[in-house]
Amino acid sequence: MKRTTFFTLNTLGTKRGGLVKAVIKRANTIAAAEPDRHVHLLTLGLQTQINSIREEMVHLHLLDQRVQVTNLIHTLGKQKPNDKQTKARLLKRLQRQFVIFEDASRPENDSYRLFENGVYCQYIRFDADERLVFIDYFSESRHRLKREEYLEHGQLFQVIHYSATTNKPVSRQFLNGDGTCYLTLWHKINSVDWSHLFYFGKHEQFQFNDPAAFYTFALNQLLAQYPAVLLSSEFRDRLPNLPKRNLDAVVLDVTHPNIRKIAFGHSNHFVAPFDETATISGVWNALFKRIGEWSAVVTATPRQATHMKQQFGHDSLFKSIPHAFTNKAAGSLVADAVNPNRFVVVSRIQIKKDVAESVRAMRLIVDHNPNAFLDFYGFGYNDQLEKDLLALIKELALTDHVHFKGFVTDMREAYAGAVATLFTSQSEGFGMAILESMSYGIPVIAYDICYGPAEIIEDRVTGRLIPKGDTAQFAEAAIELMTQPEARQAMGLRAAGALAPFSDQQYETSWVNLLHELDVSTH
């Protein structure tokens, strides 16, 4: 019997980082290879419009039609469509009581402000298909009191109540199709972190003071309907919806009688300096303290699996399956004309990614060639780290040399025609951007870190590996590729031709074999 397979994510969307991309790739691969296996992406975060997200991703060919997408909180309630919440019907009814103004300040959104006797009282938004998304309610002093969020089929799904002083959520109610509440969530004061959850079932009611315990309960409820399941734990982060214990603890506590549990190591498991000389990061404690309870622990590199086995034993548990990136157009793209001044970075602005180091290297590169520039593809979180990066660019007088291009799904736009990709992460689990860049015939200059670069790049053959933190040598390698176009082209061609170990076929075979092992295993 093939186990119904659930790969866990916190949120899903078209604009997500490497971890989400990797899990989607795996789900797509398995669904295509084994059409008789039911494959689910299971999200834990609050995503009301999850069905629309799935539809968009299928339409953009980012998600296989056979992969099901489910939000765990949705599974606890009972839905009921409401066709009265379409734009035309709703506005017609509201016009009897309110004066309605379209919100022209945000033309990308179909939104309206409602006034009653001159007092602003509601704000309404519809999606591109004229379906109601949410309604905000305001006090006479224009403080937001609550928000009602609707599912795509018109059902009121969530009511969010806000603090009158901070405008942050203080509680949420999740509703069945008949309007009854099945779950109430409290936030910590002045925080987005979850603190308490109250479940109102038909025959049972529970209070949870730890969101992790709530998620285990919800998973037990969901998985009980399947005779044999496989459940993954994909991330270790402390999140607002998991502020105390992380996903590893949630998955390990699930009590299904016929379950196999796997953990995937998308990230480095050490603290700084992020190598085998360092101590284990605290977010990995749940995984390693209960190591014998897993059916498999999967890493993207053999080196990380070796380090784990050396410290924790249980050698047979550890599997290494590299990520895959097959670029069908690579053969034609490596011949694209190279702009001798252009470098690229593809990354989130996140502390371990250390994109600020690529900016420091660019200062040295620009000192050699004033026409050199860096195109940055990715996104930040509008946090202090992003502000510090912008300040550094200004401080180093690189404002005209660093161009922020935003998030792209067509990676040719990012890579094609670049001299090289700069990869300055301090810590990785693999480094998908390396594989992507090489598949387009663009060599990568990377620091030799744990994990990924040394497992993918052969120094001076398919790219460059630089001792971590040596900014001057990193910049010298970039300048060398700029000034030696023939050598750079040859390196790019070798890079594109060196990806057989990371092919889709090898990736598919490895995952299908592992799942078959777990289908029949007794642990």
Side-chain angles (χ1 to χ4, degrees), residues 197-436:
L197 297 105
F198 304 87
Y199 173 71
F200 308 97
K202 185 175 181 180
H203 302 294
E204 54 187 5
Q205 296 79 42
F206 297 106
Q207 174 180 333
F208 302 94
N209 298 331
D210 179 359
F214 160 74
Y215 276 126
T216 297
F217 163 77
L219 281 168
N220 281 329
Q221 297 283 104
L222 169 65
L223 300 181
Q225 62 187 291
Y226 301 96
V229 298
L230 183 143
L231 178 64
S232 75
S233 181
E234 302 286 348
F235 55 86
R236 330 254 96 77
D237 299 337
R238 294 279 191 264
L239 299 169
N241 52 323
L242 283 169
K244 297 180 180 180
R245 296 185 297 149
N246 66 12
L247 182 59
D248 289 331
V250 171
V251 171
L252 286 169
D253 285 345
V254 171
T255 57
H256 190 286
N258 190 5
I259 189 171
R260 301 296 174 264
K261 302 171 183 178
I262 64 171
F264 195 97
H266 290 275
S267 61
N268 187 311
H269 60 287
F270 295 114
V271 299
F274 309 111
D275 59 33
E276 62 271 29
T277 67
T279 57
I280 301 297
S281 170
V283 298
W284 288 77
N285 286 343
L287 188 156
F288 291 129
K289 285 182 177 179
R290 300 170 64 180
I291 188 70
E293 297 179 42
W294 297 103
S295 303
V297 177
V298 186
T299 64
T301 67
R303 185 179 175 192
Q304 185 172 22
T306 297
H307 286 163
M308 290 178 174
K309 286 186 281 190
Q310 288 172 344
Q311 189 153 5
F312 299 103
H314 295 275
D315 290 13
S316 62
L317 284 182
F318 293 96
K319 313 290 182 183
S320 177
I321 303 179
H323 296 307
F325 187 86
T326 299
N327 174 12
K328 296 179 181 178
S332 62
L333 293 176
V334 293
D336 283 358
V338 175
N339 184 330
N341 303 312
R342 178 176 180 258
F343 294 91
V344 299
V345 166
V346 179
S347 175
R348 290 177 295 133
I349 301 175
Q350 195 263 354
I351 190 165
K352 288 184 180 180
K353 302 294 185 182
D354 197 13
V355 294
E357 175 64 7
S358 65
V359 173
R360 289 186 284 268
M362 279 303 299
R363 180 63 268 171
L364 300 179
I365 296 168
V366 171
D367 286 343
H368 176 85
N369 176 4
N371 294 318
F373 65 93
L374 175 67
D375 283 342
F376 181 92
Y377 294 86
F379 59 90
Y381 301 93
N382 196 29
D383 55 7
Q384 189 59 47
L385 191 65
E386 184 172 355
K387 294 175 184 176
D388 291 344
L389 177 65
L390 296 175
L392 177 65
I393 292 169
K394 185 175 181 181
E395 176 188 339
L396 296 180
L398 290 173
T399 303
D400 294 334
H401 298 272
V402 179
H403 311 144
F404 288 92
K405 298 291 189 176
F407 187 92
V408 291
T409 54
D410 180 3
M411 299 313 299
R412 175 172 184 170
E413 179 183 336
Y415 293 116
V419 174
T421 294
L422 308 184
F423 192 87
T424 54
S425 285
Q426 298 182 43
S427 166
E428 289 284 348
F430 184 77
M432 275 296 295
I434 299 175
L435 217 56
E436 291 178 350

